[in-house]
Amino acid sequence: MTQMIVKTQIMTPQIKIENLSKTFHTPNGKIKALDNISLEIFEGECVVVGGENGSGKSVLMSIIAGLEKSDCKNVEVSTPPAGLVFQEAETQILGETPAEDIAFGPQNQGMKKTEVELAVKAALEKTGLTQKADFPARFLSGGEKRRLAIACMLAMKFPVIILDEPYANLDYSGVKQVNALIRELKSDGKTVIILTHEIEKCLGLADRFIVLFHGKKVFDGSPQGGLKQNLEQWNIRNPIVEYKNAGDLVW
């Protein structure tokens, strides 16, 4: 009898966090924004991190992106670090036009002129902004500004893209634009992390769902498993429950 040997592939996490805490010191005392959080995120995953305002989502991702320090040096992130798209995407726009804005990052990374040009061209094409390359950036729509911020991260070749409340102040068209781009990023093998309290707009795109509440990780599992939780206890709207109770609404 021939014995079959099955080899199990061991995946190395792209982001690894162990017992992470973050405390802010204010005139009124200490505020613990993150409390003993451990998690691993793997290459190519699309992870939705849900939680109400103040739950610690943005602080956690700022630490992962290298913009904030944790209380201890216990965060392992791939190199180069993650690219973070802020909730107010227009605050990240530095160039007069999308082409100028996208070029800013690669230029500061020391890329050669030809490399910068290629990076800008590829990022514009990937985000559907080629026709707006020389358009005044300040006149872009909300969805276009978010796509521009993502284009900047792509041009700098970040393997991890973090989107902080990407649906804030967007209409239906803007939401569709952002989600179409997230699908593109997933198909390209990028690791995508979405921070939001509007989970109904993106949970269908996710491979994994994490919930933060008062700085603690209270759920980490599949999107399907998350929808079976009592999300209201963490002040998150459950789209399934809301749909079932739609008859109770007054129109």
Side-chain angles (χ1 to χ4, degrees):
M1 179 182 294
T2 302
Q3 185 178 9
M4 293 183 63
I5 300 176
V6 179
K7 293 184 179 180
T8 303
Q9 183 178 7
I10 300 176
M11 296 179 64
T12 302
Q14 193 171 33
I15 297 171
K16 184 177 180 179
I17 295 172
E18 294 182 355
N19 306 318
L20 183 148
S21 294
K22 176 64 180 179
T23 303
F24 290 101
H25 298 270
T26 72
N28 297 321
K30 297 180 180 179
I31 298 176
K32 197 156 195 177
L34 298 173
D35 188 2
N36 197 34
I37 290 181
S38 297
L39 61 84
E40 294 179 342
I41 295 175
F42 296 88
E43 184 177 355
E45 274 195 308
C46 180
V47 182
V48 169
V49 181
E52 63 180 339
N53 292 336
S55 62
K57 305 188 303 296
S58 296
V59 176
L60 175 61
M61 294 304 152
S62 292
I63 291 173
I64 289 176
L67 303 179
E68 187 74 51
K69 292 183 179 180
S70 62
D71 291 346
C72 301
K73 295 181 179 180
N74 51 5
V75 182
E76 299 176 14
V77 185
S78 62
T79 302
L84 175 60
V85 176
F86 300 152
Q87 178 175 337
E88 302 297 333
E90 59 268 21
T91 63
Q92 292 179 264
I93 297 176
L94 301 175
E96 291 294 323
T97 67
E100 290 180 8
D101 192 51
I102 296 170
F104 184 81
Q107 287 169 346
N108 279 272
Q109 287 180 324
M111 288 189 191
K112 296 179 180 179
K113 183 178 179 180
T114 54
E115 292 176 328
V116 172
E117 291 173 351
L118 289 173
V120 171
K121 183 176 183 291
L124 286 167
E125 290 177 351
K126 176 61 66 175
T127 55
L129 291 172
T130 301
Q131 300 301 318
K132 296 286 184 76
D134 299 314
F135 189 79
R138 65 184 181 277
F139 292 135
L140 295 175
S141 69
E144 288 170 338
K145 287 177 180 177
R146 289 240 174 30
R147 284 189 281 151
L148 174 56
I150 295 171
C152 294
M153 302 303 158
L154 294 177
M156 290 186 282
K157 304 188 185 305
F158 286 121
V160 180
I161 306 294
I162 303 171
L163 307 176
D164 190 358
E165 296 291 353
Y167 308 108
N169 303 317
L170 292 189
D171 58 13
Y172 179 61
S173 175
V175 172
K176 287 176 60 180
Q177 290 175 22
V178 171
N179 279 353
L181 183 50
I182 291 172
R183 290 189 184 92
E184 283 282 323
L185 296 174
K186 286 184 61 178
S187 67
D188 289 344
K190 294 285 186 182
T191 303
V192 182
I193 305 173
I194 307 168
L195 317 182
T196 184
H197 63 278
E198 300 177 275
I199 64 170
E200 68 278 1
K201 294 179 179 177
C202 58
L203 204 55
L205 300 171
D207 303 304
R208 191 154 142 228
F209 181 38
I210 295 173
V211 178
L212 298 184
F213 184 65
H214 291 175
K216 293 179 177 290
K217 185 180 73 171
V218 293
F219 178 81
D220 186 350
S222 69
Q224 295 84 357
L227 291 174
K228 294 177 182 177
Q229 304 296 310
N230 176 18
L231 295 179
E232 287 77 10
Q233 67 180 317
W234 303 316
N235 295 326
I236 298 176
R237 294 173 298 182
N238 189 321
I240 293 179
V241 173
E242 287 201 354
Y243 178 77
K244 288 181 178 179
N245 295 334
D248 296 335
L249 299 177
V250 177
W251 299 93

